[in-house]
Amino acid sequence: MDQFKILIAGGSLVGLGLAIALERAGIDYELFEKGDFAPQLGASIGLHPHTIKILEQLGVWEDIQKVVAPLVDRHHYDENGRCFEKSRVLVVINEILQRPIIFMERSKALEILHSHIKDKSKLHARTAIVEYEDIPNGVLITTQDGKKHQGHMLIGADGIHSKVRKLMADKISVTDPSLSREINEAFTSEYNCIFAISENNPSNQFLPDAMVHNVYYDDYSAVAATGEHGLVTPNCPRFTDEDAEAQIRKYGSAGVGPGYTVKDLWDARVKAAMVPLEEGVVKQWSHNRVLLMGDAVHKATINPGLGGNLGYEGIARFTNGLVPLLKEHPMPSLEQLTAVFDQYYTSQKPRAETVVSLSGQITRYEAQDTWILRFASRYVVPWVSDRIKANLYASFSRGGPWLEYLPLPATDASQIEERAEIPHHSNGGLSILPNLTACALLVSAAAILWQRYNQTL
């Protein structure tokens, strides 16, 4: 092979996003997906401002923007249907960052990403990778049809049940069985979730467009959001592994918002799926010329919708290291690639650990896992202003990377000089995010005490 080539396992949001990023950088690749592209699965994806910036750079955001309704309002309800907080923090976030938070059907996002691949001959559907072997200066993969394909590195972007991760762990087990076990056992699951896309009839809507309803029950929660016109996505964590219908019979009477229940959304479903909510970060992300990315290496619970965004941060951090290397060394050595892998790992792993940890905290917060979380959610956090919450979030979002080899969007032109001072390995905003809940509690508690003090004067 005269040109450096990357083999990608997985046509997921991360796999397709990586393919577009490599294509824009002029780097050769082939992508292998075990199923079809843009499968009609009952799941959705949240996109945050720092990911939207990357999608703008890739030229994808304009098409996504046409089909989504940026989220505006959030109403929080208790188990009795009492609304204890009405928030417009999403509007304030949009004002601060000049980008919204959106929620959309995953299959639609995959469809749009797929449409932006210029050379479709690089994409291979229904072609799972079943084995790989290290060869001098490269990697040789075998696909389910028995064919072999050669590249200079392999990226496993094939999701939580990553075949590449398992194959990598098997090879590591020859010299380090303990590390291999840690890689294979990196994820745990305490919660389960039913995802569904439901019809939101305009003449009799469950909830208005651009609205999010959160309901906090003891040991489980429900969320519904209208991120696209005519569709609504409910999310009901803390289910067992029993049949989804049995769980709907058990929890279907739970209200999600005024006048409708989980069962109502279920009956109006277009598609649905029941899955465990895995949590964890893999200890080692690469081995020789193989690298893991996205859910294959870090998985967060879905409540704050940061997991997929974390994958796009990984795309940026990896390609920001690879592109300049290939310009200087078109056929890099294993040592040079390893340096890029290590840079990607050291810059992304702390942020991944933070997002996974915080996402788990928010899942437990919304499921009222302890009396402290129950008290905080209903009687403390609602006192914190939307502006304070939005500024805390913005500090985290601004810490996200972008594609340094592509022009920044016009809205970011004024930030070029400021952000150029932040090195690749920076984790800007990480010190803020883990403390978001704690800060909210402290600020709100202080506000309550101050108000009571003034009332006594």
Side-chain angles (χ1 to χ4, degrees):
M1 294 180 292
D2 296 330
Q3 187 177 359
F4 185 85
K5 176 185 278 189
I6 295 176
L7 306 177
I8 303 172
S12 60
L13 293 167
V14 174
L16 289 174
L18 174 62
I20 297 171
L22 294 175
E23 196 170 63
R24 300 295 186 269
I27 299 173
D28 194 18
Y29 73 93
E30 283 191 86
L31 187 153
F32 303 87
E33 164 56 37
K34 66 180 180 181
D36 294 314
F37 291 105
Q40 297 297 308
L41 299 177
S44 53
I45 180 72
L47 296 177
H48 288 242
H50 46 291
T51 298
I52 290 173
K53 180 191 294 188
I54 293 172
L55 294 173
E56 285 183 66
Q57 289 185 281
L58 294 175
V60 176
W61 171 242
E62 185 175 350
D63 284 345
I64 292 177
Q65 192 174 23
K66 293 175 183 177
V67 300
V68 298
L71 300 176
V72 173
D73 293 296
R74 288 188 71 185
H75 291 179
H76 302 256
Y77 297 89
D78 65 17
E79 70 277 14
N80 298 314
R82 179 182 68 89
C83 183
F84 59 85
E85 181 181 4
K86 291 185 178 181
S87 170
R88 290 181 64 84
V89 65
L90 298 168
V91 173
V92 184
I93 287 172
N94 198 343
E95 291 173 356
I96 294 172
L97 296 176
Q98 296 300 297
R99 291 182 177 91
I101 294 176
I102 65 107
F103 206 44
M104 70 181 299
E105 193 176 357
R106 185 180 295 267
S107 61
K108 176 62 70 173
L110 288 168
E111 180 184 317
I112 292 172
L113 288 168
H114 184 271
S115 73
H116 280 264
I117 300 287
K118 294 179 180 178
D119 186 354
K120 300 294 194 298
S121 71
K122 302 290 186 182
L123 306 179
H124 306 282
R126 297 183 293 281
T127 311
I129 294 175
V130 296
E131 188 54 85
Y132 79 81
E133 58 182 295
D134 298 307
I135 59 175
N137 301 317
V139 178
L140 183 68
I141 67 166
T142 303
T143 53
Q144 64 187 39
D145 55 8
K147 294 181 179 179
K148 296 186 182 294
H149 304 264
Q150 186 173 336
H152 294 95
M153 65 171 290
L154 168 64
I155 294 181
D158 47 345
I160 186 66
H161 304 294
S162 171
K163 177 68 172 180
V164 173
R165 185 183 66 238
K166 185 181 185 306
L167 293 172
M168 187 184 88
D170 289 345
K171 295 185 183 300
I172 290 173
S173 69
V174 176
T175 56
D176 194 339
S178 176
L179 175 58
S180 176
R181 283 194 300 274
E182 288 188 74
I183 291 172
N184 282 323
E185 299 172 3
F187 302 103
T188 60
S189 177
E190 181 181 348
Y191 288 79
N192 293 297
C193 179
I194 287 182
F195 292 95
I197 306 296
S198 306
E199 291 183 358
N200 197 29
N201 190 330
S203 62
N204 186 26
Q205 289 185 311
F206 292 118
L207 67 169
D209 287 347
M211 171 67 78
V212 182
H213 284 166
N214 290 79
V215 188
Y216 299 43
Y217 292 91
D218 290 340
D219 297 326
Y220 68 100
S221 64
V223 180
T226 48
E228 297 181 47
H229 299 293
L231 293 176
V232 55
T233 305
N235 148 29
C236 311
R238 196 67 187 242
F239 285 99
T240 70
D241 290 328
E242 297 173 11
D243 180 80
E245 287 284 357
Q247 296 308 307
I248 293 299
R249 287 195 295 271
K250 182 176 181 179
Y251 293 98
S253 62
V256 185
Y260 70 101
T261 66
V262 169
K263 180 68 161 53
D264 293 330
L265 293 174
W266 180 256
D267 290 342
R269 70 190 182 279
V270 176
K271 61 193 74 168
M274 184 173 179
V275 298
L277 297 182
E278 297 93 343
E279 304 173 70
V281 179
V282 175
K283 184 174 182 179
Q284 183 165 316
W285 296 13
S286 64
H287 181 247
N288 292 336
R289 290 174 176 264
V290 176
L291 182 71
L292 303 176
M293 188 172 290
D295 284 357
V297 77
H298 43 60
K299 191 71 167 69
T301 56
I302 51 83
N303 294 60
L306 288 168
N309 298 268
L310 199 58
Y312 273 76
E313 292 184 34
I315 291 172
R317 294 187 196 278
F318 167 65
T319 55
N320 284 344
L322 182 67
V323 170
L325 172 64
L326 294 182
K327 285 183 178 179
E328 188 172 350
H329 302 282
M331 199 60 66
S333 66
L334 175 58
E335 291 74 21
Q336 290 168 326
L337 282 176
T338 299
V340 171
F341 294 172
D342 289 346
Q343 182 186 71
Y344 157 72
Y345 173 83
T346 56
S347 62
Q348 183 71 357
K349 187 170 185 280
R351 188 148 168 122
E353 289 174 335
T354 297
V355 168
V356 169
S357 175
L358 183 76
S359 296
Q361 291 173 32
I362 292 174
T363 294
R364 289 158 180 82
Y365 170 87
E366 294 186 355
Q368 309 286 267
D369 200 54
T370 66
W371 72 266
I372 294 175
L373 295 177
R374 181 183 177 91
F375 178 80
S377 66
R378 303 188 187 200
Y379 304 108
V380 182
V381 173
W383 284 78
V384 182
S385 74
D386 287 342
R387 180 65 57 176
I388 290 174
K389 293 173 184 173
N391 281 329
L392 286 169
Y393 170 83
S395 297
F396 161 73
S397 184
R398 289 187 179 119
W402 66 93
L403 302 172
E404 296 176 359
Y405 53 91
L406 294 178
L408 273 171
T411 54
D412 301 288
S414 62
Q415 302 175 18
I416 293 177
E417 183 176 344
E418 173 189 350
R419 293 303 303 274
E421 299 174 0
I422 301 176
H424 289 276
H425 60 270
S426 169
N427 295 311
L430 282 179
S431 61
I432 295 294
L433 187 58
N435 296 315
L436 189 151
T437 302
C439 287
L441 294 176
L442 287 172
V443 170
S444 57
I448 294 170
L449 291 172
W450 178 253
Q451 182 186 45
R452 290 181 178 175
Y453 170 75
N454 283 338
Q455 289 174 348
T456 63
L457 294 180

